Amino acid sequence: MTAVLIRATGQNLQMAYNQSLKSLGIVRLLERSEMLASGDIAALVYLWNPLTIVTCVGSSTSPIENLVIVLSLYGACRRLVPLAAFGWVIATHLSLYPAILIVPLILILGYGPDSPRRKLFQQRASIKVGENPSTDIHYQQKELASQPMLPLRFSWRLVVHFILWASLWSCYVLLLCGISVRQYGGLGEMFKSTYGFILTVPDLSPNIGVLWYFFAEVFDYFRNFFLIVFHVNILFMILPLAIRLNHRPCFLAFVYIAISSLLKSYPSVGDSALYLGLLGLFVEELADMQFSFFLFCGYVGISFLSPVMHNLWIWRGTGNANFYFATAMAYACFQIILVVESVSAMLNHDRMLRKLSIMKP
Amino acid sequence: MSLVMLEQVQKFRIREMELSFTQGRWNYERWGGFDPISSSNAKPPGVELWAVFDVPHDLVDASWKNLTHTLSGLFCASINFLESSTAYSAPDWGFQPFSGSLRYGSLPREAVCTENLTPWLKLLPCRDKAGLATLMDRPSIYRGFYHSQRLRLSSTEFGSTEVESGIALDQTLTVVLQPTTSHRASMTYSSDSVLQPSWSLSSIFGRKVSGRCVLANSSNVYVQVERGLMSELKILHAEDEGSGADNLTFEKTWNNPGFELSIAPNRVIKEVNILHDETSIVLYEYLIDNYSNSEPFDLGFTWKFPVVWSSPQAPLHASRFLMGSGNERGAIAISLKATEPSDGLWFADTIENSCMLRFNVFQVVPWYVRVYFHTLQVFVDGKPQSVTDFIERMRISPSEDKVSPGVMEMALKLPCCVKSVTLTLEFDKGFLHIDEYPPDANQGFDIPSAVISFPDFHASMHFLKDDSLNKSPLLSKFQERSPVLCYTEVLLVPLTTPDFSMPYNVITITCTVFALYFGSLLNVLRRRVGEEERFLKSKDSKKTGRLGQLLSKLFAKLRGKSWEPTQTQSASSSLISSKLIFKVILVAGIAAGWQYYSG
């Protein structure tokens, strides 16, 4: 189901991309390269990703979390506000980190799906106006009318709807939870056990992240300090990324998902399956990303090496915790490189679009 | 009784308490499991403490905590480790038929030495300076197979009835020794068996009893001849003297074909049995009043004929072991095998003409061995059975990480003809912080002994109703009806350990990864095209050497870009380093501020 939704989101994004390119008049770009169906690619990547398959085989609940995240993105792209709100509330309820997706969701609802910078549209419009000073307002209106998806204004109506629906869904979910956990200590106990567990990291079982070994070795005096530092690292990046990438909210959502799966307290390969699938939505823009082959080899290598080291350490007793932790750190480094390079490639693509739109008369 | 213990009882309002220090494991197969000695004196290795308090329900834990600290100071042992809620449990009915405010804790790894024995002896009125306690020669005691010192306190002060209110303190030292054989058995007998070694008090302890303690009301030594030995001697006597032997008087003599006592006993006490075909236990009593410094008491026991006998066993012999390999999961198995009933010792609990055997299992498992109680399986005679068929009732308190251990109390009922029962439970191993590991972490962690009790069977002796018998506390203790108990082995569970030598390395490397993420992402976001082009132009003017060109070729291959000779590395390196320095200073400032405000 997630793959179907990704495909639909991808189609939506692609339509928006085409339209925005047309509106900028960069038809030459379209003719130069063939348009890849990014939605289909993303859906196929998600379905055939070995990490997704492994997650499903292991009967984890990650596919359900992925589904509701993609559901919210799809709902936002299609302007289905209740669906988007539902997806976001359930995703936050299941694991705390999708709460940061509220920023890209609001941006999608307000501005619409990914498009080049609004400045370009304004420049284009001003150039056009400059070129044809004699055209009357009628022509301009026709221009504007022929581009119904042009995101020049932030539509507050949809955002307010979203907030209303989100609060409605969250009240409903909290009510249901309250009723079902009443005999176990009430909502406070539930929050302490679920969100408190995610935030305070009491269980130190080895996983593919870097936090377990750190908190097994850190001195008790600094434990709270480092907990705050690690969680603020995710929160801190929300604002700069939102400022820089506010015209591409779907890509912003992808970056947020990648960062939260890198820095979360109990990551799993299900999280990386999600963002690798979403990466496929942006093949057009990220076509000339640096280090792509290196990253691919890195992911493949880590996915082979990590279970081997785990087995050596825990089942055979011949290895050390350091072997397994080294693979976890290498995995984190590869994820960092992926995030940084994809952001850089997207910004480069924007720069290229800007150059092309300026150059064209 | 010493003032210290009186003070403790009054301060903590203890109704009953038992503390035992044990080294070694009681060998139930060889030393018996059905007599009063093994039921009440066979204790699990290490320290075991349980206490019943007379305080309101919410104050019991605080009283327990204070009690553990006090006892720890009194006995020079680390009983204070039992104070945290992860170490003790509150059994309901599995351990004792009390309810409510019983707290039970056990430390299997505690070593017992003379430092624990000395304060225990100090509680005696004469210490070890006079009376029977002068026999406590430390090397002899600690050379044995098993030694256990037990302190039992019961107080009726807080009860509702005021009759006979008082505090009773029972101190018991149980030692299993092997007498040294001074000569190799040179005589071989017809059945090719070896004569048992003869012993005397001076040969075992190196000392003799020179009089009794003046503060003691009575001071007695008893030699008990077990049922099994008695029946073997009877057979021997019958063989020896042919038929028509005087079997009744044989038991009253201390000089018989099997063994000989060097001193004549003051009294011979014979057990009165309920069932007539059982052999009775015989006790030879010696009063120490009659001995003094000039005439010390040194009892000698000489074997005359090799006898092989078996001690009466509990209905089921319990053992416990671990299954599975690897440091991620495993299983605990409790295996109970039926023992041979000796001389109809048990009475059948007939319910509708069928004989049923009931027993209780009580097990406490620490939190880092996460037992999944839903995986409980019962195997009867090797075949898996449905759990509800055999379990009468069960009380489970699942473990909570770092808060409480996992407690299991089960009451099972089996038909008497069953030969073996095995209970298995699966568990996952946890992962601890480096501070929580003991000094020798690779040895593993201990799961305390499980307690198997048979509520239907009572290990007690029955004597003729004689007032003089009740004066001896030991005999009145033997006559008490206490349920048969047996303890299983302590399990050693190895857990995965992190690398203890690397806290700094792990912290710095992880923080480096985070800094890499933070710095490079901010840098990418901040980069402006114009500035980069200007920087590249300025770099173009410089000449790059051969090595620089090779390096840049390598990097371009890595990036998948086409190589241009004048392409240099991106301008991000110097910018990243300044970003990093800024971040390091910022984090250091925050840490210093944190330290200042909270330190």
Side-chain angles (χ1 to χ4, degrees), chain A residues 92-212:
Chain A
T92 308
H93 174 71
L94 285 178
S95 69
L96 184 59
Y97 295 95
I100 58 177
L101 288 177
I102 192 166
V103 173
L105 281 180
I106 288 181
L107 287 174
I108 294 179
L109 286 172
Y111 282 126
D114 285 10
S115 59
R117 306 211 91 179
R118 279 175 293 287
K119 275 198 294 199
L120 297 183
F121 290 107
Q122 284 164 353
Q123 283 173 357
R124 189 84 191 141
S126 65
I127 287 172
K128 273 203 177 153
V129 166
E131 275 179 4
N132 309 335
S134 60
T135 53
D136 49 342
I137 305 173
H138 172 71
Y139 177 67
Q140 280 185 1
Q141 277 178 350
K142 201 172 78 161
E143 272 272 315
L144 287 172
S146 68
Q147 298 152 23
M149 310 251 303
L150 206 58
L152 279 183
R153 285 182 309 275
F154 189 81
S155 77
W156 284 101
R157 188 178 59 94
L158 281 176
V159 173
V160 165
H161 271 197
F162 174 77
I163 292 177
L164 277 176
W165 273 104
S167 46
L168 187 74
W169 283 118
S170 54
C171 287
Y172 183 58
V173 165
L174 285 177
L175 188 71
L176 283 180
C177 288
I179 293 173
S180 53
V181 300
R182 188 171 294 167
Q183 45 174 317
Y184 299 117
L187 273 180
E189 182 68 29
M190 183 190 93
F191 284 136
K192 198 161 70 90
S193 302
T194 53
Y195 294 163
F197 189 89
I198 292 176
L199 291 175
T200 57
V201 192
D203 181 41
L204 301 169
S205 299
N207 51 54
I208 205 157
V210 293
L211 258 73
W212 57 275

Side-chain angles (χ1 to χ4, degrees), chain B residues 526-542:
Chain B
R526 181 213 60 82
R527 206 183 297 167
R528 297 245 176 267
V529 179
E531 191 177 316
E532 185 176 326
E533 282 172 348
R534 266 182 273 127
F535 193 72
L536 280 177
K537 281 204 192 110
S538 70
K539 272 229 167 163
D540 271 343
S541 57
K542 292 193 213 141

Side-chain angles (χ1 to χ4, degrees), chain A residues 45-65:
Chain A
V45 165
Y46 185 79
L47 278 178
W48 286 101
N49 196 353
L51 298 178
T52 325
I53 296 174
V54 158
T55 317
C56 292
V57 166
S59 303
S60 153
T61 52
S62 297
I64 301 179
E65 292 169 14

Side-chain angles (χ1 to χ4, degrees), chain A residues 2-37:
Chain A
T2 316
V4 165
L5 287 170
I6 292 180
R7 183 165 172 271
T9 318
Q11 281 175 340
N12 195 334
L13 278 179
Q14 202 159 34
M15 259 173 24
Y17 184 59
N18 283 346
Q19 279 209 321
S20 51
L21 279 185
K22 277 202 197 95
S23 68
L24 285 180
I26 318 173
V27 186
R28 203 186 57 183
L29 188 66
L30 290 176
E31 291 163 1
R32 194 173 62 184
S33 64
E34 52 183 75
M35 288 299 281
L36 300 163

Side-chain angles (χ1 to χ4, degrees), chain B residues 150-220:
Chain B
R150 185 165 69 97
L151 180 84
R152 185 158 177 154
L153 191 84
S154 51
S155 138
T156 45
E157 268 190 359
F158 312 112
S160 52
T161 57
E162 290 307 314
V163 180
E164 280 198 39
S165 73
I167 302 174
L169 182 66
D170 259 326
Q171 286 179 257
T172 315
L173 179 72
T174 312
V175 185
V176 176
L177 299 164
Q178 183 174 36
T180 52
T181 51
S182 51
H183 61 278
R184 291 286 153 214
S186 48
M187 296 175 68
T188 52
Y189 292 86
S190 56
S191 52
D192 218 7
S193 50
V194 179
L195 184 65
Q196 296 84 254
S198 308
W199 53 269
S200 68
L201 285 180
S202 52
S203 77
I204 298 180
F205 293 110
R207 301 172 187 181
K208 304 178 191 178
V209 183
S210 48
R212 66 165 205 163
C213 172
V214 289
L215 295 168
N217 285 344
S218 67
S219 185
N220 304 331

Side-chain angles (χ1 to χ4, degrees), chain B residues 419-559:
Chain B
K419 290 217 174 46
S420 73
V421 182
T422 309
L423 308 161
T424 55
L425 283 169
E426 292 178 26
F427 64 86
D428 268 356
K429 297 189 191 178
F431 198 78
L432 302 171
H433 185 78
I434 54 172
D435 288 341
E436 292 165 1
Y437 284 90
D440 184 12
N442 289 311
Q443 183 188 7
F445 289 79
D446 301 295
I447 301 181
S449 304
V451 183
I452 319 277
S453 59
F454 301 90
D456 294 336
F457 298 91
H458 298 277
S460 59
M461 302 186 196
H462 308 276
F463 304 116
L464 284 169
K465 289 286 176 204
D466 190 355
D467 278 333
S468 64
L469 283 179
N470 290 341
K471 270 205 257 174
S472 161
L474 189 66
L475 291 182
S476 46
K477 194 101 184 108
F478 281 168
Q479 290 180 68
E480 260 179 29
R481 286 170 67 86
S482 55
V484 175
L485 270 186
C486 56
Y487 286 93
T488 61
E489 296 92 342
V490 169
L491 293 175
L492 192 64
V493 176
L495 285 183
T496 46
T497 58
D499 193 347
F500 294 105
S501 62
M502 287 196 26
Y504 290 108
N505 300 358
V506 166
I507 294 175
T508 51
I509 292 176
T510 314
C511 290
T512 306
V513 167
F514 275 81
L516 184 74
Y517 146 80
F518 191 86
S520 40
L521 194 58
L522 274 185
N523 179 57
V524 157
L525 288 177
R526 181 213 60 82
R527 206 183 297 167
R528 297 245 176 267
V529 179
E531 191 177 316
E532 185 176 326
E533 282 172 348
R534 266 182 273 127
F535 193 72
L536 280 177
K537 281 204 192 110
S538 70
K539 272 229 167 163
D540 271 343
S541 57
K542 292 193 213 141
K543 284 202 198 116
T544 54
R546 280 287 290 271
L547 190 63
Q549 283 195 346
L550 278 175
L551 275 177
S552 58
K553 194 173 173 183
L554 181 68
F555 270 111
K557 272 257 164 54
L558 215 55
R559 284 204 204 116

Side-chain angles (χ1 to χ4, degrees), chain A residues 202-204 213-218 233 236-237 244 259 263 290 313-315 322 325 329 336 340 351, chain B residues 325 327-328 370 402 431 433-434 499 502-503 506 509-510 513-514 517-518 522 524-525 529 559 561:
Chain A
D203 181 41
L204 301 169
Y213 204 35
F214 187 87
F215 284 106
E217 302 257 359
V218 79
N233 258 332
F236 183 83
M237 279 302 173
R244 196 65 205 271
I259 288 177
L263 298 176
Q290 295 177 354
W313 175 37
I314 291 189
W315 288 93
N322 299 329
F325 186 61
M329 270 202 316
I336 292 173
V340 168
R351 278 188 213 116
Chain B
S325 73
N327 273 340
E328 195 170 324
R370 298 188 184 120
K402 297 187 186 154
F431 198 78
H433 185 78
I434 54 172
D499 193 347
M502 287 196 26
V506 166
I509 292 176
T510 314
V513 167
F514 275 81
Y517 146 80
F518 191 86
L522 274 185
V524 157
L525 288 177
V529 179
R559 284 204 204 116
K561 275 194 169 154

